[in-house]
């Protein structure tokens, strides 16, 4: 029931600004640690050093989690830390903010979506803004909510801390650039591995929470179209449930990339209303996940 308490606490409080203006968030601490290791270890045999870096992060994160769990009131600390490392409310708030901004103007929508995606936004039309926000919501439901919850179920506080360390490392060094192609290789591959089950579980939660069994063929057909081995699963499920086309061509660093559409035969013109609909999907999938967590707690 520790995880259920953490999920409810995260959904109720999100990321309190008054707290994180005064204290460093655990994810920020992880990021600073990875940046420190990057400066000192991204040299020489970069792939070997990258493997060593992620092993250090995993061992330290696991050890910290094990020590905290063993303390008096360990379950209380575990619930509080897990709540900090889940991102349901903040995710939904950020996605919803894009829809609200898009209703004001296209420029406001572009500015809002630029806060949650890494692609170029300057030439996005209304549909592209909405599509980007919805895709970000689907992918981050997996990475920011379901995957951390899954690894907490598997290995308690050490599990969620190890997962977040790997995921943060991938987001910082897991790029195919000259600096990180070799050094970030281990972080990127390990992130793919730890997200493999959660991504597929997220797709099932999206589908099952809407009783939309007809979406399964779309997921099976289009999940593999995504350049990521995992992100395509929640994205395809979201596209199927909403009845829209996601992904497709987009620009990165001024270069247009011709990615295929997911659920290509569905509606292509998306609006702020579709963003609102996607937030509802996020909450329904979360609610089903919480229900399953509670049932597992009662059974075991």
């Amino acid at each position: 029931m520790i995880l259920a308490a953490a999920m409810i606490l995260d959904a109720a409080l999100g990321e309190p600004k008054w707290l994180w203006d005064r204290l460093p968030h655990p994810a920020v601490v992880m990021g600073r640690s990875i940046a420190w290791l990057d400066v000192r270890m991204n040299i020489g045999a970069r792939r070997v050093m990258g493997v060593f870096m992620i092993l250090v992060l995993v061992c330290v994160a696991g050890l910290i989690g094990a020590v905290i769990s063993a303390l008096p009131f360990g379950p209380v600390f575990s619930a509080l830390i897990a709540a900090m490392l889940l991102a349901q409310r903040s995710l939904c708030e950020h996605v919803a903010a894009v829809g609200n901004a898009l209703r004001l103007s296209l420029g406001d929508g572009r500015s809002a979506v630029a806060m949650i995606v890494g692609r170029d936004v300057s030439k996005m039309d209304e549909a592209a803004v909405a599509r980007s926000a919805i895709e970000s919501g689907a992918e981050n439901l997996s990475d920011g909510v379901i995957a951390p919850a899954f690894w907490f179920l598997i290995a308690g506080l050490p599990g969620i801390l190890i997962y977040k360390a790997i995921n943060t490392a991938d987001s910082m060094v897991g790029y195919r650039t000259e600096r990180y192609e070799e050094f970030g290789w281990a972080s990127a591959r390990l992130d793919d591995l730890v997200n493999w089950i959660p991504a597929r579980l997220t797709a099932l939660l999206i589908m099952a929470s809407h009783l939309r069994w007809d979406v399964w063929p779309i997921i099976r057909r289009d999940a593999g179209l995504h350049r990521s081995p995992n992100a395509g699963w929640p994205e395809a499920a979201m596209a199927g449930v909403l009845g829209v086309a996601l992904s497709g061509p987009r620009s990165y660093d001024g270069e247009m990339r011709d990615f295929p559409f997911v659920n290509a035969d569905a509606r292509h013109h998306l609006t702020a209303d579709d963003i609102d609909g996607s937030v509802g999907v996020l909450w329904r999938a979360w609610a089903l996940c919480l229900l399953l967590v509670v049932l597992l707690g009662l059974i075991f």
Side-chain angles (χ1 to χ4, degrees):
M1 291 299 183
I2 297 174
L3 178 57
M7 292 178 68
I8 293 170
L9 191 60
D10 166 56
L13 299 180
E15 302 286 350
K17 189 174 185 299
W18 61 266
L19 177 61
W20 303 126
D21 282 347
R22 292 167 174 79
L23 296 173
H25 191 282
V28 173
V29 174
M30 288 181 185
R32 290 173 181 171
S33 302
I34 292 164
W36 187 86
L37 291 170
D38 178 19
V39 170
R40 288 156 180 79
M41 298 182 68
N42 193 356
I43 55 176
R46 293 176 185 266
R47 180 168 292 198
V48 174
M49 295 302 289
V51 170
F52 183 61
M53 184 199 74
I54 197 65
L55 286 176
V56 169
L57 287 172
V58 166
C59 291
V60 171
L63 179 61
I64 291 172
V67 169
I68 293 174
S69 299
L71 291 174
F73 302 105
V76 175
F77 291 128
S78 294
L80 290 173
I81 295 171
M84 296 174 193
L85 297 176
L86 295 168
Q88 175 68 16
R89 178 161 177 168
S90 61
L91 168 62
C92 292
E93 288 176 344
H94 281 96
V95 174
V98 179
N100 294 334
L102 189 56
R103 287 189 176 91
L104 296 176
S105 73
L106 179 56
D108 287 313
R110 288 171 175 168
S111 297
V113 83
M115 302 294 291
I116 61 173
V117 300
R119 65 196 73 171
D120 299 332
V121 304
S122 60
K123 296 182 180 178
M124 283 185 177
D125 59 12
E126 179 186 38
V129 170
R131 196 159 46 240
S132 298
I134 293 169
E135 291 166 14
S136 178
E139 294 175 20
N140 283 288
L141 175 65
S142 177
D143 291 355
V145 182
I146 306 304
F150 173 81
W151 286 109
F152 189 95
L153 277 177
I154 297 298
L157 186 60
I160 192 172
L161 286 173
I162 289 171
Y163 171 77
K164 291 300 291 188
I166 294 169
N167 191 242
T168 304
D170 175 61
S171 69
M172 293 181 67
V173 304
Y175 297 104
R176 292 183 176 178
T177 62
E178 182 178 353
R179 178 173 176 80
Y180 294 121
E181 178 78 28
E182 295 297 319
F183 185 70
W185 174 83
S187 297
R189 298 291 77 76
L190 191 55
D191 186 70
D192 288 342
L193 179 63
V194 296
N195 277 299
W196 197 91
I197 293 175
R200 287 145 182 83
L201 179 59
T202 303
L204 293 175
L205 287 169
I206 291 173
M207 179 181 70
S209 63
H210 290 75
L211 302 178
R212 288 289 306 276
W213 317 118
D214 58 306
V215 170
W216 179 245
I218 297 172
I219 297 172
R220 290 291 299 154
R221 183 192 67 203
D222 292 352
L225 297 177
H226 202 285
R227 61 196 182 281
S228 162
N230 296 318
W233 287 79
E235 190 173 301
M238 179 70 79
V241 165
L242 293 178
V244 299
L246 296 177
S247 194
R250 78 281 304 273
S251 175
Y252 291 98
D253 300 321
E255 179 186 351
M256 198 66 183
R257 302 189 187 183
D258 190 24
F259 294 131
F261 280 99
V262 170
N263 201 22
D265 296 334
R267 176 166 52 88
H268 281 240
H269 183 71
L270 282 68
T271 68
D273 289 342
D274 293 302
I275 298 177
D276 293 345
S278 75
V279 174
V281 173
L282 297 178
W283 278 115
R284 287 181 67 159
W286 173 89
L288 178 57
C289 181
L290 176 62
L291 175 62
L292 293 174
V293 168
V294 171
L295 289 175
L296 286 173
L298 292 173
I299 293 171
F300 295 105

